[in-house]
Coordinates of all heavy atoms in Angstrom, one line a residue:
S27 N -78.8 57.8 -39.5 CA -80.0 57.1 -39.4 C -81.2 57.9 -40.1 O -82.1 58.4 -39.4 CB -80.4 56.9 -37.9 OG -79.3 56.1 -37.3
I28 N -81.1 57.9 -41.4 CA -82.0 58.7 -42.2 C -83.1 57.8 -42.7 O -82.8 56.8 -43.3 CB -81.3 59.4 -43.3 CG1 -80.2 60.4 -42.8 CG2 -82.3 60.2 -44.2 CD1 -79.3 60.9 -43.9
L29 N -84.4 58.2 -42.4 CA -85.5 57.4 -43.0 C -85.9 58.0 -44.3 O -86.2 57.3 -45.2 CB -86.7 57.4 -42.0 CG -86.5 56.7 -40.7 CD1 -87.7 56.8 -39.8 CD2 -86.0 55.3 -40.9
S30 N -86.0 59.3 -44.3 CA -86.4 60.0 -45.6 C -86.0 61.4 -45.6 O -85.8 62.0 -44.5 CB -87.9 59.9 -45.8 OG -88.6 60.6 -44.8
I31 N -85.8 62.0 -46.7 CA -85.4 63.4 -46.9 C -86.5 64.2 -47.5 O -87.0 63.9 -48.5 CB -84.1 63.5 -47.7 CG1 -82.9 62.8 -47.0 CG2 -83.8 65.0 -48.0 CD1 -81.6 62.8 -47.8
N32 N -86.9 65.3 -46.8 CA -87.9 66.1 -47.3 C -87.4 67.2 -48.2 O -88.0 67.5 -49.3 CB -88.7 66.8 -46.1 CG -89.3 65.9 -45.2 OD1 -90.0 65.0 -45.6 ND2 -89.0 66.0 -43.9
S33 N -86.3 67.8 -47.9 CA -85.7 68.8 -48.7 C -84.2 68.8 -48.5 O -83.7 68.4 -47.4 CB -86.2 70.2 -48.4 OG -86.0 70.6 -47.1
M34 N -83.4 69.2 -49.5 CA -82.0 69.2 -49.4 C -81.5 70.3 -50.4 O -82.0 70.4 -51.5 CB -81.4 67.8 -49.7 CG -80.0 67.6 -49.3 SD -79.6 65.9 -49.4 CE -77.9 65.9 -48.8
G35 N -80.4 71.0 -49.9 CA -79.9 72.0 -50.9 C -78.8 72.8 -50.3 O -78.1 72.3 -49.4
W36 N -78.6 74.0 -50.8 CA -77.5 74.8 -50.4 C -77.9 76.2 -50.0 O -78.8 76.8 -50.7 CB -76.6 74.9 -51.7 CG -76.0 73.6 -52.1 CD1 -76.5 72.7 -53.0 CD2 -74.8 73.0 -51.5 NE1 -75.7 71.6 -53.0 CE2 -74.6 71.8 -52.2 CE3 -73.8 73.4 -50.6 CZ2 -73.6 70.9 -51.9 CZ3 -72.8 72.6 -50.4 CH2 -72.6 71.3 -51.0
Y37 N -77.2 76.7 -49.0 CA -77.3 78.1 -48.6 C -75.9 78.7 -48.6 O -74.9 77.9 -48.6 CB -77.9 78.2 -47.2 CG -79.4 78.0 -47.1 CD1 -79.9 76.7 -47.3 CD2 -80.3 79.1 -46.8 CE1 -81.3 76.5 -47.3 CE2 -81.6 78.9 -46.8 CZ -82.1 77.6 -47.0 OH -83.5 77.4 -46.9
R38 N -75.8 80.0 -48.5 CA -74.5 80.6 -48.4 C -74.5 81.8 -47.5 O -75.6 82.4 -47.3 CB -73.9 81.0 -49.8 CG -74.7 82.1 -50.5 CD -74.1 82.3 -51.9 NE -74.8 83.4 -52.6 CZ -74.7 83.7 -53.8 NH1 -73.8 83.0 -54.6 NH2 -75.3 84.7 -54.4
Q39 N -73.4 82.1 -47.0 CA -73.2 83.3 -46.1 C -72.0 84.0 -46.4 O -70.9 83.5 -46.2 CB -73.3 82.9 -44.6 CG -73.3 84.1 -43.7 CD -73.7 83.6 -42.3 OE1 -73.6 82.5 -41.9 NE2 -74.2 84.6 -41.5
A40 N -72.1 85.2 -46.9 CA -70.9 86.0 -47.2 C -70.6 86.8 -45.9 O -71.4 87.0 -45.0 CB -71.2 87.0 -48.3
S41 N -69.3 87.2 -45.9 CA -68.9 87.9 -44.7 C -69.7 89.2 -44.4 O -69.9 90.0 -45.3 CB -67.4 88.3 -44.9 OG -66.9 89.0 -43.8
G42 N -70.2 89.3 -43.2 CA -71.0 90.4 -42.8 C -72.5 90.4 -43.3 O -73.2 91.4 -43.1
K43 N -72.9 89.3 -43.9 CA -74.2 89.2 -44.4 C -75.0 88.0 -43.8 O -74.4 87.1 -43.2 CB -74.2 89.1 -45.9 CG -73.7 90.3 -46.6 CD -73.8 90.2 -48.1 CE -73.3 91.5 -48.8 NZ -73.5 91.4 -50.3
Q44 N -76.3 88.0 -44.0 CA -77.1 86.9 -43.5 C -77.0 85.7 -44.4 O -76.7 85.8 -45.6 CB -78.5 87.3 -43.4 CG -78.8 88.3 -42.2 CD -80.3 88.6 -42.0 OE1 -81.1 88.6 -43.0 NE2 -80.7 88.8 -40.8
R45 N -77.2 84.5 -43.8 CA -77.3 83.3 -44.6 C -78.5 83.4 -45.6 O -79.5 83.8 -45.2 CB -77.3 82.1 -43.8 CG -77.1 80.8 -44.5 CD -77.0 79.6 -43.5 NE -75.9 79.8 -42.6 CZ -75.5 78.8 -41.7 NH1 -76.2 77.7 -41.7 NH2 -74.5 79.0 -40.9
E46 N -78.2 83.0 -46.8 CA -79.3 83.1 -47.8 C -79.4 81.8 -48.6 O -78.4 81.0 -48.8 CB -79.0 84.2 -48.8 CG -77.8 84.1 -49.6 CD -77.6 85.2 -50.6 OE1 -78.4 86.1 -50.7 OE2 -76.6 85.2 -51.4
L47 N -80.6 81.5 -49.1 CA -80.8 80.3 -50.0 C -80.1 80.5 -51.3 O -80.1 81.6 -51.9 CB -82.3 80.2 -50.2 CG -82.8 79.0 -51.1 CD1 -84.1 78.5 -50.6 CD2 -82.9 79.3 -52.5
V48 N -79.5 79.4 -51.7 CA -78.9 79.4 -53.1 C -79.7 78.5 -54.0 O -80.2 79.0 -55.0 CB -77.4 78.9 -53.0 CG1 -76.8 78.8 -54.4 CG2 -76.5 79.7 -52.1
A49 N -79.9 77.3 -53.6 CA -80.7 76.4 -54.4 C -81.1 75.2 -53.6 O -80.2 74.7 -52.8 CB -79.9 75.9 -55.7
T50 N -82.3 74.8 -53.7 CA -82.8 73.6 -52.9 C -83.7 72.8 -53.7 O -84.4 73.2 -54.7 CB -83.5 74.0 -51.6 OG1 -84.6 74.8 -52.0 CG2 -82.6 74.8 -50.7
F51 N -83.8 71.5 -53.3 CA -84.9 70.6 -53.7 C -85.9 70.6 -52.6 O -85.5 70.2 -51.5 CB -84.3 69.2 -53.9 CG -83.7 68.9 -55.3 CD1 -82.3 68.8 -55.4 CD2 -84.4 68.8 -56.4 CE1 -81.7 68.6 -56.6 CE2 -83.8 68.6 -57.6 CZ -82.5 68.5 -57.7
A52 N -87.1 70.8 -52.9 CA -88.2 70.7 -52.0 C -88.8 69.3 -52.1 O -88.5 68.6 -53.0 CB -89.2 71.8 -52.2
S53 N -89.7 69.0 -51.1 CA -90.4 67.7 -51.2 C -91.2 67.6 -52.5 O -91.7 68.6 -53.0 CB -91.3 67.5 -50.1 OG -92.2 68.5 -50.0
G54 N -91.2 66.5 -53.2 CA -91.8 66.4 -54.5 C -90.9 66.7 -55.6 O -91.2 66.5 -56.8
G55 N -89.7 67.2 -55.3 CA -88.7 67.3 -56.4 C -88.6 68.7 -57.0 O -87.7 68.9 -57.9
T56 N -89.4 69.6 -56.6 CA -89.3 70.9 -57.2 C -88.0 71.6 -56.7 O -87.5 71.4 -55.6 CB -90.5 71.8 -56.8 OG1 -90.6 71.9 -55.4 CG2 -91.8 71.2 -57.3
T57 N -87.5 72.5 -57.5 CA -86.3 73.2 -57.2 C -86.5 74.7 -57.0 O -87.4 75.2 -57.7 CB -85.2 73.0 -58.3 OG1 -85.8 73.4 -59.6 CG2 -84.8 71.6 -58.4
N58 N -85.8 75.3 -56.2 CA -85.8 76.7 -55.9 C -84.4 77.3 -56.1 O -83.5 76.7 -55.5 CB -86.3 77.0 -54.5 CG -87.8 76.5 -54.3 OD1 -88.6 76.9 -55.1 ND2 -88.0 75.8 -53.3
Y59 N -84.3 78.4 -56.8 CA -83.0 79.0 -57.0 C -83.1 80.5 -56.5 O -84.2 81.1 -56.8 CB -82.6 79.0 -58.4 CG -82.1 77.6 -58.9 CD1 -83.1 76.8 -59.6 CD2 -80.8 77.2 -58.8 CE1 -82.7 75.6 -60.1 CE2 -80.4 76.0 -59.3 CZ -81.3 75.2 -60.0 OH -80.9 74.0 -60.5
A60 N -82.1 81.0 -56.0 CA -82.0 82.4 -55.8 C -81.9 83.1 -57.1 O -81.3 82.6 -58.1 CB -80.8 82.8 -54.9
D61 N -82.6 84.3 -57.3 CA -82.6 85.0 -58.5 C -81.1 85.3 -59.0 O -80.8 85.2 -60.2 CB -83.3 86.3 -58.4 CG -84.8 86.1 -58.3 OD1 -85.3 85.0 -58.7 OD2 -85.5 87.0 -57.9
S62 N -80.2 85.5 -58.1 CA -78.9 85.9 -58.4 C -78.1 84.7 -59.0 O -77.0 85.0 -59.6 CB -78.1 86.4 -57.2 OG -78.1 85.4 -56.2
V63 N -78.5 83.5 -58.9 CA -77.8 82.4 -59.4 C -78.5 81.6 -60.6 O -77.9 80.7 -61.2 CB -77.4 81.4 -58.3 CG1 -76.7 82.1 -57.2 CG2 -78.6 80.6 -57.8
K64 N -79.7 82.0 -60.8 CA -80.5 81.3 -61.9 C -79.7 81.4 -63.2 O -79.1 82.5 -63.5 CB -81.9 82.0 -62.1 CG -82.8 81.6 -61.0 CD -84.2 82.2 -61.2 CE -85.2 81.8 -60.1 NZ -86.5 82.5 -60.2
C65 N -79.7 80.4 -64.0 CA -79.1 80.2 -65.3 C -77.5 80.1 -65.1 O -76.9 79.9 -66.1 CB -79.4 81.4 -66.2 SG -81.1 81.7 -66.5
R66 N -77.0 80.2 -63.9 CA -75.6 79.9 -63.7 C -75.3 78.7 -62.9 O -74.3 78.0 -63.1 CB -74.9 81.2 -63.0 CG -75.0 82.4 -63.9 CD -74.1 83.5 -63.2 NE -74.6 83.9 -61.9 CZ -73.8 83.8 -60.8 NH1 -72.6 83.4 -60.9 NH2 -74.3 84.2 -59.6

Side-chain angles (χ1 to χ4, degrees):
S27 303
I28 299 168
L29 295 182
S30 62
I31 293 178
N32 300 309
S33 61
M34 195 168 183
W36 297 91
Y37 285 70
R38 68 185 180 187
Q39 187 166 18
S41 180
K43 296 188 177 181
Q44 289 188 327
R45 191 171 298 189
E46 64 176 1
L47 180 148
V48 177
T50 61
F51 277 106
S53 58
T56 58
T57 56
N58 296 308
Y59 289 93
D61 287 343
S62 60
V63 307
K64 283 180 181 177
C65 301
R66 297 189 298 123

